[in-house]
């Protein structure tokens, strides 16, 4: 087999888990940092309405793209499992299928995004003073959707073999390009949200071109050639069996957040902009936890494929403790310093107020999500994806919708709306953790001689 960057099957786990997770977390945080700079640019050099226009699209973008990103999770797990089995032909077939899915998914995402973006903004009750700019921003962003998909599926291939540094390096350069183009188009050419969207398009195109070039230069079963790209039925089934439930979970999760966004819209532009800024901080923290989730999937996938049950159990414990401690620390940073940080992005006191309120009610308790994210990630590494997806959909989505439609009308208020987050995290954590205990025991028994 071609060289795998990190040997996940032998030796101590702690150092390897940390070294795998840190670049992954840095990639997500860096990506969000550059997005935050874009928000800063439109908030400082344009207007709060422009900032609200960008913020009003966040949940909608996630709603549309998350299904496809979930499939990339399946690709990561399947490739990692085949590496653990030391089956280079299966690895190559999975890599080839992953490349084909990125092209198909990008084309679908482009068409669907352009068709439904504006109607969905109207359906959500986006305020009239921001809907035009929001629609413009979405349409330009979805033009870059194929590039976005190619990069993310390519990154999944690199991470499955233990290389989290290459996606980080690519994104670092792409992020600098994003910031430079954003500042030039907004500050110099006064393009407002269109300038920020163009920067997003250019940076995604750069990322896709670079990661594709690197995959062409890979060796052995990880090498991607255009004429060799095809879909293999077995590998497609394995990828979709894990990826579709993960994508469905993320999509329905975003769907519930669309209803949250619709409720936020009723409080006006300041609430939209403030919530958007707080969600940006949320995302910083969540990327830390997501890094340990990706680590759990990849490490568990390889070790389960190799039949190493004890290492799988240790991977769960380490990822749970490290992920929980990391996201808790990140949460407390924003709880303590959130208001002054928010003031850097906008001079509007109402926007700062709404941002701060959401930080204290929701972000302060985000670490609870560790109780379902890490168990779900480990189950996906074991090839079990439907159960955690359905439980997360119920716990985080239906609970939030029930809160919005049954509780909020009788206890109306912005802070009361934000309570739907910690309540849903607690319920989901209890459900998914309980199922993980039973499902992992059953999966490990299947390996018993």
């Amino acid at each position: 087999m071609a060289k795998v960057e990190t040997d996940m099957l032998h030796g101590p786990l702690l150092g390897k888990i940390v070294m795998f997770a840190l670049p992954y977390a840095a990639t997500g945080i860096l990506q969000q940092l550059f997005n935050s700079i874009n928000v800063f640019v439109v908030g400082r050099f344009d207007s709060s309405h422009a900032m609200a226009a960008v913020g009003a699209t966040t949940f909608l973008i996630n709603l549309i793209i998350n299904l496809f990103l979930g499939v990339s999770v399946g690709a990561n797990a399947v490739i990692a499992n085949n590496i653990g089995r030391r089956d280079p032909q299966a690895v190559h077939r999975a890599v080839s299928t992953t490349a084909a899915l990125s092209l198909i998914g990008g084309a679908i995402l482009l068409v669907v995004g352009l068709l439904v973006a504006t109607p969905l903004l109207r359906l959500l009750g986006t305020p009239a003073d921001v809907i035009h700019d929001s629609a413009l921003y979405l349409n330009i962003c979805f033009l870059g959707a194929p590039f976005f998909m190619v990069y993310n599926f390519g990154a999944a291939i690199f991470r499955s073999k233990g290389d989290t540094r290459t996606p980080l390096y690519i994104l670092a350069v792409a992020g600098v390009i994003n910031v430079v183009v954003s500042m030039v188009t907004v500050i110099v050419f006064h393009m407002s949200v269109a300038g920020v969207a163009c920067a997003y398009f250019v940076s995604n195109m750069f990322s896709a071109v670079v990661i594709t070039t690197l995959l062409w230069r890979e060796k052995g079963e990880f090498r991607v050639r255009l004429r060799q790209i095809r879909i293999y039925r077995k590998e497609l089934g394995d990828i979709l069996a894990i990826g579709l439930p993960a994508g469905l979970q993320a999509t329905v999760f975003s769907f519930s957040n669309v209803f949250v966004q619709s409720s936020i819209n009723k409080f006006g532009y300041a609430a939209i902009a403030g919530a958007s800024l707080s969600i940006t901080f949320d995302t910083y923290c969540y990327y830390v936890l997501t890094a340990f989730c990706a680590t759990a999937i990849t490490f568990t996938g390889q070790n389960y494929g190799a039949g190493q049950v004890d290492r799988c159990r240790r991977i769960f414990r380490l990822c749970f403790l490290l992920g929980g401690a990391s996201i808790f620390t990140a949460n407390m940073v924003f709880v303590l310093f959130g208001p002054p940080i928010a003031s850097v992005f906008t001079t509007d006191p109402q926007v700062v107020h709404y941002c701060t309120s959401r930080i204290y009610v929701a972000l302060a308790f985000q670490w609870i999500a560790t109780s379902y994210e890490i168990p779900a990630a480990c189950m996906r590494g074991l090839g079990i994806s439907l159960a955690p997806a359905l439980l997360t959909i119920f716990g985080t989505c239906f609970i939030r919708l029930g809160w919005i439609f049954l509780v909020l009308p009788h206890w109306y208020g912005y802070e009361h709306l934000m309570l739907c987050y910690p309540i849903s995290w607690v319920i989901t954590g209890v459900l998914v953790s309980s199922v993980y205990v039973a499902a992992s025991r059953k999966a490990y028994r299947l390996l018993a001689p």
Side-chain angles (χ1 to χ4, degrees):
M1 290 184 65
K3 180 184 176 183
V4 176
E5 298 295 331
T6 300
D7 183 0
M8 305 179 189
L9 303 176
H10 308 92
L13 284 166
L14 177 60
K16 293 179 180 181
I17 285 175
V18 172
M19 294 307 297
F20 184 94
L22 283 180
Y24 192 105
T27 301
I29 292 172
L30 191 64
Q31 186 174 39
Q32 192 58 36
L33 175 62
F34 292 129
N35 291 339
S36 298
I37 293 174
N38 289 340
V39 173
F40 168 81
V41 170
V42 294
R44 280 285 183 173
F45 298 100
D46 198 290
S47 67
S48 294
H49 284 80
M51 184 177 174
V54 174
T57 66
T58 302
F59 288 135
L60 190 53
I61 290 175
N62 291 337
L63 172 66
I64 297 174
I65 70 173
N66 275 341
L67 177 62
F68 299 97
L69 291 184
V71 177
S72 73
V73 171
N76 188 351
V78 170
I79 296 172
N81 189 263
N82 287 328
I83 291 172
R85 296 177 188 275
R86 303 194 67 81
D87 187 345
Q89 293 302 317
V91 172
H92 176 71
R93 292 194 298 270
V95 167
S96 177
T97 303
T98 299
L101 286 173
S102 73
L103 298 176
I104 296 170
I108 295 173
L109 188 57
L110 169 64
V111 174
V112 172
L114 293 176
L115 287 176
V116 307
T118 302
L120 281 178
L121 284 170
R122 294 196 185 99
L123 183 64
L124 292 173
T126 306
D129 55 350
V130 301
I131 191 171
H132 173 75
D133 284 343
S134 292
L136 177 62
Y137 178 82
L138 277 177
N139 286 328
I140 296 175
C141 285
F142 279 118
L143 288 175
F147 300 119
F148 176 85
M149 294 299 294
V150 168
Y151 167 76
N152 278 281
F153 275 78
I157 293 173
F158 278 102
R159 288 165 183 153
S160 68
K161 67 189 186 80
D163 182 0
T164 54
R165 292 181 177 87
T166 296
L168 171 61
Y169 299 149
I170 295 172
L171 195 63
V173 179
V176 173
I177 294 172
N178 186 1
V179 171
V180 172
V181 175
S182 177
M183 295 185 72
V184 170
T185 54
V186 174
I187 299 173
V188 178
F189 295 103
H190 308 290
M191 293 175 63
S192 187
V193 297
V196 175
C198 287
Y200 178 83
F201 176 91
V202 171
S203 63
N204 278 318
M205 181 173 62
F206 171 84
S207 299
V209 170
V210 173
I211 206 162
T212 300
T213 302
L214 292 177
L215 286 171
W216 283 342
R217 296 177 179 177
E218 276 288 316
K219 296 179 179 180
E221 61 272 20
F222 298 105
R223 192 176 190 179
V224 174
R225 278 285 187 265
L226 186 61
R227 64 179 180 272
Q228 296 176 341
I229 294 176
R230 56 168 292 190
I231 291 179
Y232 292 88
R233 184 176 298 178
K234 179 183 183 304
E235 282 66 30
L236 175 65
D238 292 341
I239 290 172
L240 294 183
I242 298 174
L244 275 183
L248 179 63
Q249 170 191 319
T251 299
V252 177
F253 180 83
S254 297
F255 182 73
S256 70
N257 285 336
V258 165
F259 281 92
V260 176
Q261 181 66 52
S262 180
S263 298
I264 292 172
N265 291 348
K266 297 175 183 177
F267 292 94
Y269 85 91
I272 297 173
S276 172
L277 189 54
S278 175
I279 291 167
T280 298
F281 300 158
D282 279 16
T283 308
Y284 278 118
C285 300
Y286 221 84
Y287 272 127
V288 176
L289 179 58
T290 300
F292 287 97
C293 290
T295 303
I297 291 173
T298 308
F299 274 67
T300 302
Q302 284 201 22
N303 281 277
Y304 187 67
Q308 301 188 127
V309 172
D310 288 340
R311 289 178 70 85
C312 290
R313 292 193 175 106
R314 292 203 301 273
I315 289 164
F316 169 76
R317 292 194 295 268
L318 287 170
C319 287
F320 192 93
L321 292 173
L322 292 170
S326 299
I327 191 174
F328 177 80
T329 302
N331 290 159
M332 293 306 105
V333 169
F334 285 106
V335 169
L336 294 174
F337 303 106
I341 294 175
S343 299
V344 172
F345 288 84
T346 178
T347 57
D348 190 325
Q350 285 186 294
V351 174
V352 174
H353 164 73
Y354 280 110
C355 176
T356 304
S357 296
R358 190 184 181 283
I359 288 173
Y360 292 153
V361 177
L363 188 148
F365 302 98
Q366 190 187 39
W367 52 271
I368 299 172
T370 306
S371 61
Y372 67 85
E373 289 287 10
I374 296 298
C378 288
M379 278 191 274
R380 292 189 174 106
L382 299 174
I384 304 166
S385 189
L386 184 60
L390 292 177
L391 291 173
T392 304
I393 287 172
F394 173 79
T396 61
C397 302
F398 286 98
I399 296 299
R400 291 179 190 177
L401 292 178
W403 185 268
I404 290 171
F405 291 111
L406 300 178
V407 177
L408 194 62
H410 305 287
W411 196 29
Y412 193 72
Y414 179 81
E415 290 81 5
H416 302 156
L417 170 62
M418 295 300 113
L419 283 172
C420 70
Y421 290 104
I423 291 172
S424 65
W425 291 330
V426 170
I427 295 173
T428 307
V430 172
L431 294 174
V432 176
S433 295
S434 300
V435 169
Y436 167 76
V437 173
S440 61
R441 286 176 179 172
K442 180 178 180 180
Y444 296 148
R445 281 199 298 268
L446 294 176
L447 296 179

